[in-house]
Structures are given as C-alpha cells and as structure tokens.
C-alpha cells in the first residue's frame, strides 16, 4: 500500500504511535501550502488510523480540513517557533465526534466542562479518543453514552462518515504553542427517535458536560455560517430567536434556561483567552451536514 501512495500518514489510536508528527500539519501533507483542505482515503488498519492520497482496502473517501489559522500551518511558516522536544514526541491522536440527528431534525451539542484541560466551555458534539482495536462507530457510540448517558440500540439509528478535521489546542499560536494534536472523524448518527424521547434518557457526565442543547436547523445553519478567522460572517438565516433553550448542569442537578443565540455565533478570538462558542471543527461538521441536506448554496465552509 505504501508503495502505491505518494502520501501515507497514520495517527495513533490509544498508545500506538505513528509517523504523523506532532505540530506538523497532517492536512498540509495532502494539499498545497496556500490551501486548507484535501480529499483523502482513510480507514483503520491494525490499530492505526490511516490517511492516504490513494484508496486502499477498506478505506473511505472523505474531506480532510484544517482552519486557516491552524497552528501547525503557522509553525511551518515560522520555523523560528520550534516546538520543544517533549512536545514533538507526542504524535498525533485519532478522535471521533458524533452529530446525533433526531427524527425531529435536531442536533445535540454539549458544552464542555470549564474544568477540562482542552477547549473548556466550548460547544461540541460528544466525542473522544480512538482506543486500540476500536472501530470508529464503536468509539462514537461509547463516547455518546459516556458523556450523555444515551445508549443507542441496534436498529434505532443509521450512520455515515461526514469528514475529517485537524484539531490543535490551543487553536491559535497567539494563545501559546500547541500541546494537543488530533485528527477528528465526524460521524452522523441518524436516530429514529425524537429529541423528546432521547431527552428522557439523558444523564450527562458532570465531569465532562456543563450544558447541552437540542438545536434546530435555522440555528445550526447560522452557526455553520460564522467563520472563525474571517472578518465577516457568512450568509446564515436573517431572522433568529434572541435566545436558545439549553439544559444547564450545576451542583448535581439540571435546569432549563435560556442562552443568548449570539453565544452560539461567537467566533474564535484572534488573541487573548477563548470564550464560550461553538468549536471551529463543529462548524465544519455542521456545514457538511447541511450540504447533505441540500443547503450548500446558503453557507460556505
């Protein structure tokens, strides 16, 4: 397989290391320096998540993307900002995140707990690391259950891959040198149940989740239209409610409250501390989801 490919990258699953180097852009191995996306073939093979520019047995074709402000891209442009040896040896980890779509066309997003070491207080879909010998769907279902208490039984959902996102934390060099580097596979889970049915079984992990929301398509389209790193917003819906209903978790209990819609439309700050917002990778996944619904003409990635 390696002999057929001009580019072959693999990232680690659990404890298995790989050639993909921490702090060097994986996306950049597949596209020119001035671009931020490439179509790749990907799949699991003997505990490794493989990315290649040619198809291989069991692979799936997917869009791999990085943000325009990707720290690994910037590091390549500024060699004087060399990473310390202890960071360079970390490697790149494989992750999975799931967009859970209900039969009522809502998507579940969770707000990461403020005590988490990476992306605290940021809205994302449930997800986490790929462990050795796990299949991507199994990772997504496990993380969904661990973070939200939701267990999806066989026959109650279908699924497919949406795309791949190169995620680095901190997300901008102005916030410090990278210390986490992932390739995140976004999966779409299509549930046959409504959000009301799923809500009745929600039991979020207090250590990982501080709030959650079942968001409707107009809000999701507006989120996907906000462009981190851009001077202006994309073209989302012109009329949105002033607030969005969320469930907040505090001191062992949950309560329904209203969050300003503008919070979901915040963009990643170019400098200074991060803020409550939807992650850039989540916006990319939502754009892919909207594209599958025939909405591509209304927002751009």
């Amino acid at each position: 397989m390696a002999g057929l490919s001009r580019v072959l990258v693999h990232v680690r699953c659990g404890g298995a290391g790989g050639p993909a180097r921490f702090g060097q852009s994986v996306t950049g191995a597949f596209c020119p320096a001035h671009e931020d996306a490439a179509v790749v073939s990907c799949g699991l093979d003997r505990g490794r998540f493989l990315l290649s520019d040619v198809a291989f047995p069991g692979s799936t074709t997917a869009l791999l993307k990085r943000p325009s402000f990707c720290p690994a891209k910037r590091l390549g442009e500024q060699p004087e900002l060399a990473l310390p040896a202890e960071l360079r040896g970390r490697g790149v980890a494989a992750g999975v995140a799931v967009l859970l779509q209900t039969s009522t066309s809502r998507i579940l997003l969770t707000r990461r707990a403020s005590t988490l070491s990476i992306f605290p207080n940021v809205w994302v879909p449930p997800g986490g690391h790929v462990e050795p010998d796990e299949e991507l769907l199994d990772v997504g279902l496990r993380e969904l259950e661990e973070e939200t208490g939701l267990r999806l039984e066989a026959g109650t959902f279908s699924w497919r891959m949406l795309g791949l996102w190169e995620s680095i934390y901190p997300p901008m060099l102005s916030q410090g040198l990278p210390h986490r580097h992932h390739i995140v596979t976004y999966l779409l889970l299509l549930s046959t149940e409504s959000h009301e049915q799923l809500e009745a079984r929600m039991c979020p992990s207090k250590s990982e989740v501080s709030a959650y929301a079942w968001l409707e398509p107009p809000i999701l389209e507006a989120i996907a239209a906000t462009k981190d790193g851009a001077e202006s917003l994309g073209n989302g819906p012109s009329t949105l409610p002033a607030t969005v209903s969320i469930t907040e978790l505090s001191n062992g209990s949950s309560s329904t409250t209203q969050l300003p819609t503008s919070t979901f439309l915040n963009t990643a700050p170019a400098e200074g501390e991060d803020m409550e917002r939807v992650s850039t990778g989540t916006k990319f996944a939502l754009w892919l989801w909207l594209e599958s619904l025939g909405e591509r003409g209304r927002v751009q990635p």
Side-chain angles (χ1 to χ4, degrees), residues 108-111 123 199 202 204 209-214 246-247 249:
L108 173 65
L109 291 187
T110 64
R111 188 177 66 198
W123 288 86
E199 170 68 28
M202 286 287 288
V209 176
S210 62
Y212 66 88
W214 300 97
I246 69 168
T247 299
L249 312 173

Side-chain angles (χ1 to χ4, degrees), residues 86-126:
E86 62 270 20
L87 290 179
R88 292 197 303 270
R90 285 187 174 179
V92 181
V96 171
V98 294
L99 287 189
L100 175 60
Q101 178 184 337
T102 71
S103 64
T104 46
S105 296
R106 298 201 184 199
I107 295 284
L108 173 65
L109 291 187
T110 64
R111 188 177 66 198
R112 290 172 58 81
S114 60
T115 53
L116 292 176
S117 60
I118 65 173
F119 295 106
N121 220 36
V122 171
W123 288 86
V124 297

Side-chain angles (χ1 to χ4, degrees), residues 24-227:
Q24 291 188 354
S25 177
V26 175
T27 308
F30 296 95
C31 68
H34 65 279
E35 296 182 4
D36 296 310
V39 175
V40 300
S41 295
C42 63
L44 290 168
D45 177 67
R46 291 173 293 178
R48 304 175 301 168
F49 185 64
L50 301 182
L51 301 177
S52 175
D53 62 347
V54 297
F56 54 89
S59 67
T60 300
T61 300
L63 180 64
L64 168 66
K65 187 168 173 58
R66 65 186 177 187
S68 61
F69 49 84
C70 175
K73 176 182 177 181
R74 300 303 182 203
L75 283 171
E77 298 168 348
Q78 303 176 60
E80 69 277 7
L81 298 177
L83 290 174
E86 62 270 20
L87 290 179
R88 292 197 303 270
R90 285 187 174 179
V92 181
V96 171
V98 294
L99 287 189
L100 175 60
Q101 178 184 337
T102 71
S103 64
T104 46
S105 296
R106 298 201 184 199
I107 295 284
L108 173 65
L109 291 187
T110 64
R111 188 177 66 198
R112 290 172 58 81
S114 60
T115 53
L116 292 176
S117 60
I118 65 173
F119 295 106
N121 220 36
V122 171
W123 288 86
V124 297
H129 289 94
V130 179
E131 299 296 339
D133 301 321
E134 273 192 310
E135 296 296 325
L136 297 178
L137 176 60
D138 294 335
V139 179
L141 293 175
R142 172 178 58 77
E143 291 289 344
L144 177 66
E145 184 173 6
E146 288 178 1
E147 293 184 20
T148 71
L150 290 175
R151 181 180 179 86
L152 301 187
E153 301 295 341
T156 67
F157 70 94
S158 59
W159 73 282
R160 61 181 178 82
M161 184 184 295
L162 283 172
L164 308 172
W165 179 256
E166 184 166 11
S167 173
I168 293 181
Y169 186 84
M172 295 191 183
L173 276 181
S174 61
Q175 298 169 345
L177 290 174
H179 56 264
R180 291 291 186 274
H181 193 169
H182 295 81
I183 295 297
V184 180
T185 301
Y186 282 95
L187 304 180
L188 175 63
L189 301 182
L190 294 160
S191 175
T192 60
E193 298 180 272
S194 68
H195 64 280
E196 292 96 344
Q197 290 173 300
L198 293 167
E199 170 68 28
R201 305 203 305 275
M202 286 287 288
C203 186
S205 166
K206 306 300 191 296
S207 63
E208 297 185 75
V209 176
S210 62
Y212 66 88
W214 300 97
L215 299 178
E216 298 179 274
I219 300 292
L220 296 165
E221 184 180 348
I223 292 170
T226 61
K227 298 179 191 249

